[in-house]
Amino acid sequence: MALHRLTSITMGVPNVAETAAYYADFGLTPDEDGWFSARDVGRQLRIVHAPTRRLVEVRIGADSPDDLAAAASRLHRLGAEPRTEDMTLTAYDKATAVRAVLEVAPRLVQGPVPATVYNGPGRSDRTDARAPGVLRDGPVRPRKLGHAVIGTTDFDATTAFFRDGLGFKVSDHIKDQGAFLRCSTDHHNILVLAAPVTFLHHTSWQVDDIDEVGRGAAAMLEDHPERHIWGLGRHHAGSNFFWYLKDPAGNFSEYYSDMDCIVDDQLWTPEVLEGAKGLFNWGPPPPPSFLAPDDLAALMTGTHSRTG
């Protein structure tokens, strides 16, 4: 596909220093001007000040200027007003005010990490040694940004902006409530959720395997049990293992591993997921605060006060 990866996001929060300290604990490397780097990619998260927590910007890698021109044509048909400059195209989703930037960028090539060796029934692939997962003692450092999830008051318009305008592809739907969209071979890079107010639900960060999901969450919770939201579990959409934590601004952050990879669009059939299947395959049930974050009422009040 012409688009090939989620390059970075900018997150707006009212408490920049406190939130930045959280993402350093999470395993991202602080850089200049509010940026944080992932292990395999470099700068992928920027934290800036905003009156309320929100997704300010998402940047997406494209192969060539021709891809930008094609996206500009599609966006014009949707009534958006894209601006093309140098090797970038900038457009705004009117429903959420999220700024989307398509940029000509090289494709990400991650070096292969050796598969974790597991024993199983009738199969002793690891002998005379403890499991690698119990011997690791270094901090967990996410490999890359996988996806961001945004709540929107106009589900159809925001979905159309990313899908029909920017050129994302649909992987799965949550009936009447969500659209899993991809700009890479990952199952999803943006999840659009119907919501009573615009907000950033969570960002998701790739780690090596289920042990790194658990080790990362355990380290984050050791002195801060209040950070726990939901996990350990495995999703149906995307198939990935997950554990969700909450940053000081109220955004959720997810460690994930083993995400579905869609290389041939013709071999993938999107599903419309309902009930629990739209949320998880196994694990504890999600708490009410995952589905409707505790600060949504305050976010709605703040939005009305700024626009009233």
Side-chain angles (χ1 to χ4, degrees):
M1 61 189 304
L3 307 182
H4 56 76
R5 65 182 169 110
L6 190 61
T7 308
S8 69
I9 66 160
T10 297
M11 171 194 300
V13 298
N15 50 344
V16 172
E18 189 180 7
T19 304
Y22 170 94
Y23 284 97
D25 288 349
F26 190 76
L28 300 178
T29 302
D31 206 334
E32 297 178 350
D33 200 23
W35 281 99
F36 286 80
S37 294
R39 185 174 180 179
D40 291 349
V41 187
R43 302 199 306 183
Q44 288 204 285
L45 170 67
R46 191 184 184 199
I47 301 175
V48 300
H49 182 266
T52 59
R53 64 184 183 90
R54 60 181 295 260
L55 180 61
V56 175
E57 180 184 82
V58 56
R59 300 182 77 93
I60 302 117
D63 282 326
S64 73
D66 288 343
D67 300 325
L68 306 187
S73 178
R74 294 191 301 266
L75 288 161
H76 277 299
R77 288 197 295 271
L78 289 179
E81 299 176 358
R83 184 182 75 251
T84 303
E85 185 176 0
D86 296 329
M87 304 293 275
T88 64
L89 175 148
T90 302
Y92 288 82
D93 172 36
K94 294 179 181 178
T96 61
V98 170
R99 180 172 64 247
V101 180
L102 298 188
E103 55 186 353
V104 177
R107 290 183 173 244
L108 172 63
V109 178
Q110 285 182 287
V113 175
T116 304
V117 179
Y118 293 103
N119 290 335
R123 174 174 52 80
S124 298
D125 294 335
R126 186 192 71 254
T127 59
D128 305 320
R130 299 188 192 278
V134 305
L135 299 177
R136 300 171 188 163
D137 56 9
V140 171
R141 292 189 57 210
R143 295 278 181 178
K144 69 171 184 176
L145 171 64
H147 58 266
V149 179
I150 53 174
T152 174
T153 56
D154 192 333
F155 173 74
D156 290 339
T158 300
T159 300
F161 175 79
F162 282 95
R163 180 193 61 208
D164 305 330
L166 297 177
F168 281 60
K169 296 187 177 181
V170 176
S171 297
D172 285 309
H173 282 105
I174 301 173
K175 187 177 181 181
D176 302 326
Q177 294 292 316
F180 293 90
L181 307 174
R182 67 184 186 275
C183 63
S184 72
T185 57
D186 290 342
H187 176 271
H188 58 286
N189 303 107
I190 291 289
L191 168 56
V192 178
L193 289 177
V197 65
T198 295
F199 73 105
L200 173 61
H201 186 277
H202 74 264
T203 60
S204 186
W205 301 84
Q206 182 194 59
V207 295
D208 289 359
D209 55 26
I210 189 172
D211 281 297
E212 296 300 88
V213 172
R215 287 199 327 112
M220 290 291 286
L221 297 173
E222 185 173 359
D223 296 319
H224 296 277
E226 74 282 358
R227 290 171 169 172
H228 173 71
I229 292 298
W230 184 28
L232 172 74
R234 187 163 189 144
H235 286 303
H236 183 87
S239 302
N240 53 293
F241 297 109
F242 67 81
W243 200 315
Y244 293 90
L245 305 152
K246 183 167 71 171
D247 75 23
N251 307 296
F252 303 146
S253 61
E254 175 190 16
Y255 290 117
Y256 82 87
S257 68
D258 193 24
M259 177 73 72
D260 287 335
C261 180
I262 303 172
V263 175
D264 188 337
D265 296 334
Q266 302 302 313
L267 299 180
W268 182 266
T269 302
E271 293 184 54
V272 178
L273 308 173
E274 299 186 60
K277 203 172 185 181
L279 292 167
F280 68 120
N281 187 277
W282 60 257
S289 61
F290 181 82
L291 303 175
D294 297 334
D295 63 347
L296 278 195
L299 290 173
M300 293 172 68
T301 301
T303 298
H304 292 319
S305 67
R306 291 196 305 274
T307 60

